Amino acid sequence: MSTEIIMAVIMNLLLLLLSAALVRSGPSMLPLKSFKISGNVTYDCIDIYNQPGLDHPLLKNHTIQMKSSISRSEFKNPTDNDKTYKKKIRCPDGTVPILRNSKDYITNPQYFHPLSQNRPEAHIAGVRSNNGPFRGIEAWFNGYALNISTDEASYSEIYIGSGSDKEVNFISAGFMINPSIFGDGRVWTYGFWHGKDGKGCYNTVCPGFVQVSHEVPLVEPFDLKPGVPVWLRCSIYQDKQTENWWLTFLSKPNVDIGYWPKELFNLINNGANVVGVGGVVQASPSGSSPPMGTGKFPTGDRRASAMFTNIEALNSNYEQRKISSFHMEKLLDSPNCYGLRIGTVKPFHRTLLGYFFNYGGPGGNSCGV
Ligand SMILES: *[C@@H]1O[C@H](CO)[C@@H](O)[C@H](O)[C@H]1NC(C)=O
Ligand SMILES: *[C@@H]1O[C@H](CO)[C@@H](O)[C@H](O)[C@H]1NC(C)=O
Ligand SMILES: *[C@@H]1O[C@H](CO)[C@@H](O)[C@H](O)[C@H]1NC(C)=O
């Protein structure tokens, strides 16, 4: 081949690559600014009206809600090692931070939601109430570094939902370690939903979640030393005016992260039948189950194991009540491998309520997968 032909071939290839890149991002998707917060974690500030979350077919006519219509009480986190709200990202007004390339890591996006009757590869330790309708759930809880292999996942989460296996509407948020989603074994905040289209999806990997905060993204990694937790107080609740489902991090000040629009759902528009909180793990197809919580069984020393506290639900009239004022059930399906210890203490801090539980355990090969 002559050099001329080779040059022409190369030029054509370059043009092809360039046009593919343009089609994929589109001029409106070009980030105005980017924040690289660690090695391979970059957030792009995307125009709020052009964020990928709005690409869902059910959101064709959706009008973005900029602010939740329910004001939640603010919360001063008394722990010293709270890393959650250290702001590393400040997108310009009118733009929102979207994790770059998160699509690349998805290899196994299934998720066994706790409303399922049938979860052969998942285990759970927590509490829930079926006495809905509920307008929301909130809790204060922690996440710990754990060694999780690439075909396993471990979650600490709050959730709301209605339905069961045939048809379910479900939203959860909290911490997860899920190497198949994130490409690393760190603790990340996350959000997950399953709607009337019959599909489930994490984070902003596929459309559905509308990010509103320009400083706090839905997903963010934490570099934790073993045994040193990161704390999160968050709430999933339904907007009184729009019926959208908000995710708010309760702090000082509160941050409305964003919401799952009501158009995505058909069973929870008048509230959710079930609310719950706790740990969930997804076992490896090989049969081994990963650690949950701190990776140790709760011992009775409440500060030594993973914890959920200040668990409150919004009843059908949007009134906030302690979870212990509703009928509750304990969930623990594999006591060989995980523990659940419900405790009550006299309030030892004015921000800490009486009801809490510790949970977690090492997992292993005899958890009943
Ligand atoms: C959007 O609005 C148009 C016109 O009112 C309507 O025909 C269409 O069904 C709507 N799409 C969705 C997804 O709601
Ligand atoms: C994970 O495993 C490594 C190597 O065995 C160990 O050094 C580390 O402490 C473990 N981390 C946790 C959180 O257990
Ligand atoms: C991203 O960085 C983390 C931590 O530096 C590393 O463990 C992980 O393997 C990286 N992921 C990818 C997909 O390169």
Side-chain angles (χ1 to χ4, degrees):
M1 263 197 277
S2 75
T3 19
E4 223 167 288
I5 293 174
I6 291 172
M7 280 306 291
V9 168
I10 290 175
M11 281 308 291
N12 273 328
L13 272 177
L14 278 177
L15 276 173
L16 256 177
L17 281 176
L18 196 66
S19 56
L22 280 178
V23 169
R24 229 194 7 227
S25 50
S28 56
M29 290 279 288
L30 293 179
L32 288 172
K33 197 170 177 182
S34 294
F35 291 86
K36 182 172 177 165
I37 63 158
S38 67
N40 47 20
V41 177
T42 301
Y43 294 87
D44 292 320
C45 299
I46 305 283
D47 182 318
I48 189 168
Y49 294 102
N50 286 310
Q51 62 179 301
L54 293 169
D55 285 343
H56 198 287
L58 291 170
L59 302 183
K60 274 219 176 77
N61 304 329
H62 184 71
T63 309
I64 294 188
Q65 183 181 5
M66 292 298 183
K67 214 177 163 338
S68 148
S69 73
I70 297 187
S71 74
R72 310 306 309 275
S73 47
E74 289 193 340
F75 175 70
K76 178 78 186 76
N77 195 333
T79 55
D80 296 327
N81 48 14
D82 175 25
K83 298 182 177 182
T84 313
Y85 304 107
K86 213 180 271 173
K87 292 198 182 107
K88 299 166 196 152
I89 299 167
R90 282 175 202 279
C91 280
D93 283 350
T95 71
V96 289
I98 303 291
L99 180 65
R100 189 186 289 178
N101 285 343
S102 51
K103 280 191 180 91
D104 300 352
Y105 303 134
I106 289 283
T107 54
N108 178 20
Q110 297 111 317
Y111 173 84
F112 296 90
H113 62 78
L115 270 53
S116 174
Q117 307 297 319
N118 175 28
R119 34 171 195 269
E121 290 170 19
H123 295 296
I124 190 165
V127 300
R128 78 173 170 204
S129 177
N130 296 328
N131 278 36
F134 293 104
R135 300 294 185 173
I137 180 76
E138 73 173 65
W140 185 36
F141 56 103
N142 51 23
Y144 288 84
L146 293 170
N147 285 322
I148 304 287
S149 67
T150 51
D151 56 2
E152 301 170 333
S154 191
Y155 308 78
S156 312
E157 64 179 23
I158 65 173
Y159 57 89
I160 64 99
S162 289
S164 70
D165 290 321
K166 261 199 206 109
E167 193 180 25
V168 71
N169 285 184
F170 179 79
I171 299 173
S172 65
F175 293 119
M176 75 173 172
I177 305 174
N178 194 335
S180 73
I181 299 251
F182 292 121
D184 69 32
R186 284 184 284 181
V187 174
W188 291 68
T189 53
Y190 84 99
F192 174 87
W193 66 280
H194 188 112
K196 70 177 175 192
D197 63 359
K199 294 185 196 132
C201 195
Y202 285 101
N203 306 336
T204 47
V205 165
C206 54
F209 183 77
V210 180
Q211 172 82 32
V212 168
S213 167
H214 66 113
E215 292 182 331
V216 183
L218 174 60
V219 280
E220 199 172 351
F222 296 91
D223 288 304
L224 302 176
K225 294 192 185 82
V228 181
V230 55
W231 286 87
L232 179 65
R233 187 168 184 180
C234 72
S235 178
I236 300 170
Y237 61 97
Q238 187 162 36
D239 196 277
K240 228 180 213 168
Q241 279 157 19
T242 61
E243 296 176 8
N244 296 327
W245 286 87
W246 282 92
L247 176 65
T248 294
F249 289 176
L250 303 168
S251 181
K252 210 173 164 76
N254 290 346
V255 184
D256 292 338
I257 307 301
Y259 62 90
W260 290 274
K262 71 154 190 268
E263 292 92 325
L264 301 173
F265 305 105
N266 58 339
L267 304 177
I268 53 176
N269 293 344
N270 294 311
N273 291 339
V274 180
V275 294
V277 307
V280 173
V281 296
Q282 197 169 312
S284 151
S286 76
S288 109
S289 289
M292 180 197 286
T294 57
K296 296 190 187 98
F297 286 102
T299 57
D301 175 358
R302 66 171 176 268
R303 292 159 202 268
S305 357
M307 182 199 272
F308 276 82
T309 184
N310 296 48
I311 310 158
E312 300 187 20
L314 296 181
N315 68 16
S316 56
N317 297 323
Y318 300 89
E319 292 156 348
Q320 188 159 341
R321 299 278 182 267
K322 290 176 194 174
I323 193 76
S324 49
S325 69
F326 299 94
H327 175 77
M328 273 193 304
E329 59 179 319
K330 293 184 213 171
L331 300 173
L332 182 66
D333 65 357
S334 186
N336 279 347
C337 294
Y338 309 104
L340 175 69
R341 223 183 141 110
I342 294 189
T344 313
V345 286
K346 293 220 163 69
F348 59 82
H349 192 286
R350 78 193 147 79
T351 52
L352 195 62
L353 301 185
Y355 180 90
F356 70 92
F357 66 85
N358 290 118
Y359 70 101
N365 291 312
S366 53
C367 307
V369 170

